[in-house]
Amino acid sequence: MTVGDWKEPEGEKFALGTVEEQARWQAEYHRLVRDTVERERAGRGTDVDVDLRTIGMRIPRNDALYKVRGRARYAGNIEMEGMLYGRFVRSQYPHARILKIDISKAETAPGVKGILTAAEIPDDRLLVGPISDDTPILARDKVRFAGEPIVAIVAETEQQAEAACLLVEVDYEPLETVITPEQALAEGTVRIDPEDGNVITDLHHSQGDIEIGFTEADIILENDFETEPIDHCFLETPAGVAFVDSDDVLTVLVCTQYPHYHHKQLARVTGRPMERVRVVQTVVGGAFGGKMDNTVECASALLTLKTGRPVKIVFTREEVFTATTKRHAMKIHQRLGATKDGRITALDVRNLFDGGAYRSYSMICSGRCVIHAGMPYRIPNLRVRHTAVFTNHAPSGAMRSFGVVKVAFAMECQLNELADKLGMSPIEIRRINGLVDGDHTSTGQTLTDVGLLKSLDAIEPIYEQRQKDLAGQSNGTRRRGLGIACLGYGIGYSGVRNPSTARVRAEADGTVTAFCGTPDIGTGSDTSLAMVAAESAGIAVDRIRVVSGDSTKTDDSGPTSASRTTYFSGNAAHIAGQDFKQQFETAVANKLHAPREEVRLQEDSVIARNERMTFEEACRLIGDEIDGIGGYGKFDPDIAVNILTFEGNPYPTYVFATHLVEIEVDTELGTTDLLKAWCAHDAGTIVNPTGAEGQIEGGVAMGVGQALWERVVRQDGYIMNPHYRDYLLPGAKDVTQEIESIFVDTHDRTGPYGAKGVAEVSLIPIPAAMASAVADAVDARPSHLPMDAEYMLGLLNGNGA
Amino acid sequence: MTVDVTLNVNGRPHSLSVEPTETVVGILRERLGLTGTHKDCSMGVCGACTVLLDDRPVSSCLLLAPQADGREIRTVEGLERDGRLSPLQQAFLTHGAVQCGYCTPGFLMTATALLEENPKPTRSEIVEAIKGNLCRCTGYKKIIEAVESVTG
């Protein structure tokens, strides 16, 4: 066992700075928040809910102070005495048997301190994965995609580690490469996975009678849709630091959406008891679903144990493209039946997923695609078949919406074509079919607090006005178009309980800490959770510090994913805040020998027997007993779905939205510009409008990229554009600043202060809305993402669709 | 082979012996401990590593140390004055222009250069200036609004 003398670098979890600097920044943050609260209160007037002291305010983020100073503690910024730097040898082949790995030259290379191969890892510790343990930490006998890690090397410098990697000789026997899902399913194709062959999952779901549904239809639309793989392109590449501290705790500081997952996994992989492993999330430079798999964690941990020195591994951008998960390439075949008056009678869906080389989140994405088929509409007769298969591509995994953006692309395009064919407006067709309170989803769940029609109401007058404004303007080679798309999306894991917990504690000096399991991955969730906890406890928001994403200090509350943090962890913070308030009031009452009901904690002070004392005074009064006060909140809604029949209540609540976009197509160049987007969301109560708008604006930008350019280009199992020069991301000139976020007036009875969430969902309607706007502009229907210039010119020439 | 260079970073001279191919971003991060300048694409596309070289924004991943010899480099750590945030930093904070924050230092440097040269840029001049900085979280709107809020 390796016992290190290594100390975690001093300072706040999120900031690199001296104690004095941090105290100064904290004081600055207090002033900023107090000013904000005062200003917002003054502007609120009397017509608002005066009981809500913090919820709904534009409270600045509590981490932005470090970030604008360049002092945020991203994992790549952490340096420690004695640190070694790691790099990987990666597979040169998309599918091959490994015959021999020769590390002898690398072992004697300058600066090399440790080399790890699969041969050293016991069988029962080699395979890891977020859902199924099927992905080797390092490949042993076989590689399944080009870029798969085979050897990890640590050296005194990153350059030395890189140089040593080039000295490793791997002998391969190339195998047949499986490139397409159709090839994977064909008879006689080589089997990629020893257990399951080439099928990851094959899901069936039906409701009603599909044949009767089509018999009732007056019109049937049958179309194919296809989407290309895309990359998350979080700007911070995966990075982590591993070391054994002086208490013999293996500590991994890493950018992740789910530290507790790595915690359990590292305990198994290293054979250590869980209390001898600690995973601390560092500031995360974007994630979007792409930081929930093992990247640097296991190799850095095993190498720090092997060498006895701290190990840092930072991926290059090229590694991100070649070796981390992608959004699934997907093919969708859809038959949609409806009556003349626009009522949907039947929907038949066939989905095919390119799952890549390992399972990652393919099961989860598949399940969500099945449950969300036909959302957010009433579909009396539904049949879905969804197959995800292995190919020799980098694994496909979770990315913002878990596949629903593609399901929505097909469904919304179909619906808009239906409206056109029936001579209806896209608003009208959605009003006829859109889910309302009391409706059932395809899994039989009864819905409440559905804001879909409210979001349509918000968009309708804008749509009608823009239609009038644009009439007759679209001619020549620059053609304008309007497109509408809706969404319905379930919050949280699909059909599996996923509780969140929170703990609220106070110190004798009046500082309060909320311990929340779900980490802030860049969205500002720590600030939202502080707001909820403060509101419920009756104290000032700047008094609360949130500690999240630390496997030792917080409970496992699941990952920050599936748009679940505001709703799940927000509810936990709410319950914990209330519990804290109760206990605190009781403690003050006991000290004063006052009746319990005569003590109230509100607006950051305590009123006891009609006398007011500050929160600090109350803390001093309580004295040492303050350690016994621990507000605890657990939110664990009863959700379940039968994986065979898809019956049940898969999510505790759903969010809805309607987006309208205005675009212009240059018919000579085939290029498309987004000119304006109106995004009406039913997200429940908005906890922090600045944060919620930020989520919507960012989602629109990501949607524009997916709609127009983004595509991981693959050839024979190799990625041809593993860098930003050929993988085009939307820049400031490509994304309109004309994004209007509209929050419709809804209140979720089960959410914290009525909140549901935003996050992923703002992305979902954008590609569909843009495709519909293109159809409006050029009178041809796109069925492929991205709608890049090449595709558009084919479409305009009548051979693209 | 190494060469001796002097890099003036945030007003302080640093005499260093460097490989001719060493990049400024590497020196800032690894040798001077100035990790606010971030590294991502390493090919001058994303803008995360933007610093000011003699007041002009450049990608420090493409800037070799000998090219910067004797010249003035400014990084995000040099934006504060006497422990107080610059108006632009303050605006990023209050306008919600920061989400994950990884791109933030690059945007701050690019926009600082813009405002020093042109204190009253139009919206399209702001967009033109920041077009070489990528952000995956915000959709740019709040970044542009933050820059706009401190113009003249």
Side-chain angles (χ1 to χ4, degrees), chain A residues 30 110 131 189 267 275 277 286 349 366 391 404 433 435 443 461 484 501 508 513 544 581 594 633 644 646 781:
Chain A
H30 289 316
I131 307 298
T189 300
E275 77 265 19
V277 179
V349 182
S366 298
T391 63
V404 173
N433 294 289
L435 292 168
T443 69
I484 282 181
T501 60
T513 308
I544 293 200
K581 181 179 156 76
L644 295 175
F646 279 96
R781 294 189 180 279

mmCIF file of all heavy atoms in Angstrom, chain A residues 30 110 131 189 267 275 277 286 349 366 391 404 433 435 443 461 484 501 508 513 544 581 594 633 644 646 781:
data_model
loop_
_atom_site.group_PDB
_atom_site.id
_atom_site.type_symbol
_atom_site.label_atom_id
_atom_site.label_comp_id
_atom_site.label_asym_id
_atom_site.label_seq_id
_atom_site.Cartn_x
_atom_site.Cartn_y
_atom_site.Cartn_z
ATOM 1 N N HIS A 30 -20.331 39.012 -1.131
ATOM 2 C CA HIS A 30 -21.417 39.404 -0.220
ATOM 3 C C HIS A 30 -21.979 40.760 -0.616
ATOM 4 O O HIS A 30 -23.186 40.957 -0.674
ATOM 5 C CB HIS A 30 -20.902 39.471 1.233
ATOM 6 C CG HIS A 30 -20.606 38.129 1.824
ATOM 7 N ND1 HIS A 30 -21.452 37.063 1.674
ATOM 8 C CD2 HIS A 30 -19.565 37.672 2.547
ATOM 9 C CE1 HIS A 30 -20.933 36.008 2.291
ATOM 10 N NE2 HIS A 30 -19.780 36.357 2.819
ATOM 11 N N PRO A 110 13.791 8.729 -21.288
ATOM 12 C CA PRO A 110 14.046 9.769 -20.289
ATOM 13 C C PRO A 110 12.784 10.187 -19.536
ATOM 14 O O PRO A 110 11.749 10.420 -20.167
ATOM 15 C CB PRO A 110 14.577 10.941 -21.130
ATOM 16 C CG PRO A 110 15.026 10.341 -22.420
ATOM 17 C CD PRO A 110 14.226 9.113 -22.637
ATOM 18 N N ILE A 131 -22.962 2.289 -16.885
ATOM 19 C CA ILE A 131 -24.167 1.475 -16.738
ATOM 20 C C ILE A 131 -23.781 0.000 -16.715
ATOM 21 O O ILE A 131 -24.219 -0.755 -15.860
ATOM 22 C CB ILE A 131 -25.160 1.736 -17.895
ATOM 23 C CG1 ILE A 131 -25.453 3.241 -18.028
ATOM 24 C CG2 ILE A 131 -26.448 0.946 -17.697
ATOM 25 C CD1 ILE A 131 -26.110 3.892 -16.838
ATOM 26 N N THR A 189 -21.714 -10.934 -40.096
ATOM 27 C CA THR A 189 -20.772 -9.882 -39.713
ATOM 28 C C THR A 189 -20.013 -10.303 -38.457
ATOM 29 O O THR A 189 -20.570 -10.964 -37.576
ATOM 30 C CB THR A 189 -21.519 -8.556 -39.433
ATOM 31 O OG1 THR A 189 -22.207 -8.173 -40.615
ATOM 32 C CG2 THR A 189 -20.566 -7.446 -39.029
ATOM 33 N N ALA A 267 -12.922 2.528 -6.089
ATOM 34 C CA ALA A 267 -12.750 1.602 -4.968
ATOM 35 C C ALA A 267 -12.621 0.177 -5.505
ATOM 36 O O ALA A 267 -11.758 -0.599 -5.084
ATOM 37 C CB ALA A 267 -13.932 1.725 -4.006
ATOM 38 N N GLU A 275 -13.891 4.138 2.005
ATOM 39 C CA GLU A 275 -13.455 5.287 2.818
ATOM 40 C C GLU A 275 -11.985 5.642 2.577
ATOM 41 O O GLU A 275 -11.497 6.635 3.082
ATOM 42 C CB GLU A 275 -13.752 5.066 4.312
ATOM 43 C CG GLU A 275 -12.790 4.142 5.022
ATOM 44 C CD GLU A 275 -13.301 2.705 5.077
ATOM 45 O OE1 GLU A 275 -14.193 2.360 4.283
ATOM 46 O OE2 GLU A 275 -12.791 1.945 5.925
ATOM 47 N N VAL A 277 -10.959 6.090 -0.480
ATOM 48 C CA VAL A 277 -10.987 6.712 -1.814
ATOM 49 C C VAL A 277 -11.841 7.961 -1.719
ATOM 50 O O VAL A 277 -12.900 7.959 -1.081
ATOM 51 C CB VAL A 277 -11.596 5.760 -2.876
ATOM 52 C CG1 VAL A 277 -11.637 6.442 -4.239
ATOM 53 C CG2 VAL A 277 -10.813 4.459 -2.960
ATOM 54 N N GLY A 286 -17.481 22.880 -18.750
ATOM 55 C CA GLY A 286 -18.470 22.356 -19.697
ATOM 56 C C GLY A 286 -18.475 20.844 -19.676
ATOM 57 O O GLY A 286 -17.450 20.199 -19.457
ATOM 58 N N VAL A 349 -42.714 4.021 -35.314
ATOM 59 C CA VAL A 349 -41.340 4.546 -35.312
ATOM 60 C C VAL A 349 -40.346 3.397 -35.311
ATOM 61 O O VAL A 349 -40.494 2.431 -34.558
ATOM 62 C CB VAL A 349 -41.079 5.410 -34.047
ATOM 63 C CG1 VAL A 349 -39.675 5.990 -34.081
ATOM 64 C CG2 VAL A 349 -42.102 6.516 -33.919
ATOM 65 N N SER A 366 -31.405 5.039 -25.378
ATOM 66 C CA SER A 366 -32.409 4.269 -26.115
ATOM 67 C C SER A 366 -33.754 4.306 -25.388
ATOM 68 O O SER A 366 -34.798 4.567 -25.996
ATOM 69 C CB SER A 366 -31.950 2.821 -26.272
ATOM 70 O OG SER A 366 -30.759 2.759 -27.025
ATOM 71 N N THR A 391 -20.683 -0.714 -33.181
ATOM 72 C CA THR A 391 -19.866 -0.565 -34.390
ATOM 73 C C THR A 391 -18.438 -0.298 -33.904
ATOM 74 O O THR A 391 -18.206 -0.157 -32.706
ATOM 75 C CB THR A 391 -20.315 0.622 -35.256
ATOM 76 O OG1 THR A 391 -20.139 1.827 -34.498
ATOM 77 C CG2 THR A 391 -21.762 0.495 -35.717
ATOM 78 N N VAL A 404 -33.066 12.763 -27.406
ATOM 79 C CA VAL A 404 -34.420 13.269 -27.690
ATOM 80 C C VAL A 404 -34.406 14.372 -28.755
ATOM 81 O O VAL A 404 -35.372 14.551 -29.488
ATOM 82 C CB VAL A 404 -35.098 13.737 -26.381
ATOM 83 C CG1 VAL A 404 -36.420 14.423 -26.653
ATOM 84 C CG2 VAL A 404 -35.314 12.541 -25.465
ATOM 85 N N ASN A 433 -53.300 18.432 -31.016
ATOM 86 C CA ASN A 433 -52.694 17.185 -30.526
ATOM 87 C C ASN A 433 -51.884 17.324 -29.240
ATOM 88 O O ASN A 433 -51.489 16.318 -28.654
ATOM 89 C CB ASN A 433 -51.790 16.599 -31.619
ATOM 90 C CG ASN A 433 -52.574 16.154 -32.826
ATOM 91 O OD1 ASN A 433 -53.299 15.170 -32.781
ATOM 92 N ND2 ASN A 433 -52.470 16.903 -33.911
ATOM 93 N N LEU A 435 -50.339 17.785 -25.565
ATOM 94 C CA LEU A 435 -50.708 17.253 -24.256
ATOM 95 C C LEU A 435 -51.204 18.364 -23.334
ATOM 96 O O LEU A 435 -50.652 19.475 -23.337
ATOM 97 C CB LEU A 435 -49.508 16.557 -23.615
ATOM 98 C CG LEU A 435 -49.030 15.259 -24.280
ATOM 99 C CD1 LEU A 435 -47.670 14.844 -23.730
ATOM 100 C CD2 LEU A 435 -50.064 14.148 -24.090
ATOM 101 N N THR A 443 -46.630 5.874 -21.761
ATOM 102 C CA THR A 443 -46.365 4.879 -20.713
ATOM 103 C C THR A 443 -47.518 4.792 -19.718
ATOM 104 O O THR A 443 -47.435 4.062 -18.738
ATOM 105 C CB THR A 443 -45.069 5.220 -19.927
ATOM 106 O OG1 THR A 443 -45.317 6.400 -19.148
ATOM 107 C CG2 THR A 443 -43.895 5.435 -20.846
ATOM 108 N N PRO A 461 -48.913 34.844 -31.399
ATOM 109 C CA PRO A 461 -48.990 36.212 -31.959
ATOM 110 C C PRO A 461 -47.691 36.648 -32.634
ATOM 111 O O PRO A 461 -47.738 37.373 -33.631
ATOM 112 C CB PRO A 461 -49.295 37.087 -30.733
ATOM 113 C CG PRO A 461 -48.990 36.259 -29.540
ATOM 114 C CD PRO A 461 -49.148 34.828 -29.941
ATOM 115 N N ILE A 484 -41.488 26.276 -36.575
ATOM 116 C CA ILE A 484 -41.935 26.067 -35.195
ATOM 117 C C ILE A 484 -41.668 24.627 -34.788
ATOM 118 O O ILE A 484 -41.824 23.712 -35.596
ATOM 119 C CB ILE A 484 -43.440 26.393 -35.073
ATOM 120 C CG1 ILE A 484 -43.615 27.919 -35.010
ATOM 121 C CG2 ILE A 484 -44.070 25.726 -33.860
ATOM 122 C CD1 ILE A 484 -45.033 28.374 -34.873
ATOM 123 N N THR A 501 -30.100 14.342 -2.115
ATOM 124 C CA THR A 501 -30.142 14.732 -0.708
ATOM 125 C C THR A 501 -29.397 16.040 -0.521
ATOM 126 O O THR A 501 -28.596 16.435 -1.371
ATOM 127 C CB THR A 501 -29.483 13.682 0.205
ATOM 128 O OG1 THR A 501 -28.125 13.542 -0.204
ATOM 129 C CG2 THR A 501 -30.182 12.342 0.123
ATOM 130 N N ALA A 508 -20.812 28.490 14.463
ATOM 131 C CA ALA A 508 -21.064 29.445 15.536
ATOM 132 C C ALA A 508 -20.923 30.894 15.067
ATOM 133 O O ALA A 508 -21.511 31.814 15.635
ATOM 134 C CB ALA A 508 -20.106 29.174 16.692
ATOM 135 N N THR A 513 -23.535 26.280 5.602
ATOM 136 C CA THR A 513 -23.100 25.495 4.447
ATOM 137 C C THR A 513 -24.207 24.535 4.043
ATOM 138 O O THR A 513 -24.804 23.872 4.902
ATOM 139 C CB THR A 513 -21.832 24.683 4.793
ATOM 140 O OG1 THR A 513 -20.857 25.579 5.340
ATOM 141 C CG2 THR A 513 -21.255 24.023 3.545
ATOM 142 N N ILE A 544 -25.033 31.551 2.610
ATOM 143 C CA ILE A 544 -24.906 30.110 2.342
ATOM 144 C C ILE A 544 -23.784 29.822 1.361
ATOM 145 O O ILE A 544 -23.702 30.413 0.298
ATOM 146 C CB ILE A 544 -26.222 29.540 1.781
ATOM 147 C CG1 ILE A 544 -27.292 29.601 2.855
ATOM 148 C CG2 ILE A 544 -26.020 28.111 1.296
ATOM 149 C CD1 ILE A 544 -28.445 28.674 2.623
ATOM 150 N N LYS A 581 -34.415 25.309 9.515
ATOM 151 C CA LYS A 581 -35.171 26.416 10.128
ATOM 152 C C LYS A 581 -35.914 25.932 11.381
ATOM 153 O O LYS A 581 -35.847 26.579 12.436
ATOM 154 C CB LYS A 581 -36.163 26.943 9.090
ATOM 155 C CG LYS A 581 -37.043 28.103 9.508
ATOM 156 C CD LYS A 581 -37.939 28.468 8.314
ATOM 157 C CE LYS A 581 -39.205 29.169 8.749
ATOM 158 N NZ LYS A 581 -38.961 30.554 9.118
ATOM 159 N N ALA A 594 -38.558 30.036 25.755
ATOM 160 C CA ALA A 594 -39.740 30.655 25.143
ATOM 161 C C ALA A 594 -40.585 29.571 24.495
ATOM 162 O O ALA A 594 -40.069 28.516 24.119
ATOM 163 C CB ALA A 594 -39.298 31.656 24.080
ATOM 164 N N GLY A 633 -32.434 16.967 3.943
ATOM 165 C CA GLY A 633 -33.515 16.851 2.966
ATOM 166 C C GLY A 633 -33.228 15.747 1.983
ATOM 167 O O GLY A 633 -32.118 15.644 1.465
ATOM 168 N N LEU A 644 -39.962 -3.898 -20.009
ATOM 169 C CA LEU A 644 -40.499 -4.732 -21.100
ATOM 170 C C LEU A 644 -41.751 -4.123 -21.724
ATOM 171 O O LEU A 644 -41.910 -4.102 -22.938
ATOM 172 C CB LEU A 644 -40.804 -6.145 -20.575
ATOM 173 C CG LEU A 644 -39.580 -6.940 -20.128
ATOM 174 C CD1 LEU A 644 -39.991 -8.272 -19.512
ATOM 175 C CD2 LEU A 644 -38.627 -7.176 -21.309
ATOM 176 N N PHE A 646 -42.849 -0.898 -20.913
ATOM 177 C CA PHE A 646 -42.755 0.559 -20.842
ATOM 178 C C PHE A 646 -43.991 1.168 -20.191
ATOM 179 O O PHE A 646 -44.399 2.266 -20.529
ATOM 180 C CB PHE A 646 -42.499 1.173 -22.222
ATOM 181 C CG PHE A 646 -41.054 1.092 -22.611
ATOM 182 C CD1 PHE A 646 -40.594 0.068 -23.410
ATOM 183 C CD2 PHE A 646 -40.150 2.027 -22.150
ATOM 184 C CE1 PHE A 646 -39.254 -0.035 -23.752
ATOM 185 C CE2 PHE A 646 -38.805 1.942 -22.481
ATOM 186 C CZ PHE A 646 -38.359 0.908 -23.285
ATOM 187 N N ARG A 781 -38.068 19.720 -48.152
ATOM 188 C CA ARG A 781 -38.035 19.322 -46.737
ATOM 189 C C ARG A 781 -36.745 18.615 -46.361
ATOM 190 O O ARG A 781 -36.499 17.492 -46.801
ATOM 191 C CB ARG A 781 -39.219 18.392 -46.432
ATOM 192 C CG ARG A 781 -40.531 19.095 -46.565
ATOM 193 C CD ARG A 781 -41.703 18.299 -46.066
ATOM 194 N NE ARG A 781 -42.882 19.131 -46.266
ATOM 195 C CZ ARG A 781 -43.225 20.112 -45.423
ATOM 196 N NH1 ARG A 781 -42.534 20.313 -44.330
ATOM 197 N NH2 ARG A 781 -44.276 20.853 -45.687
#
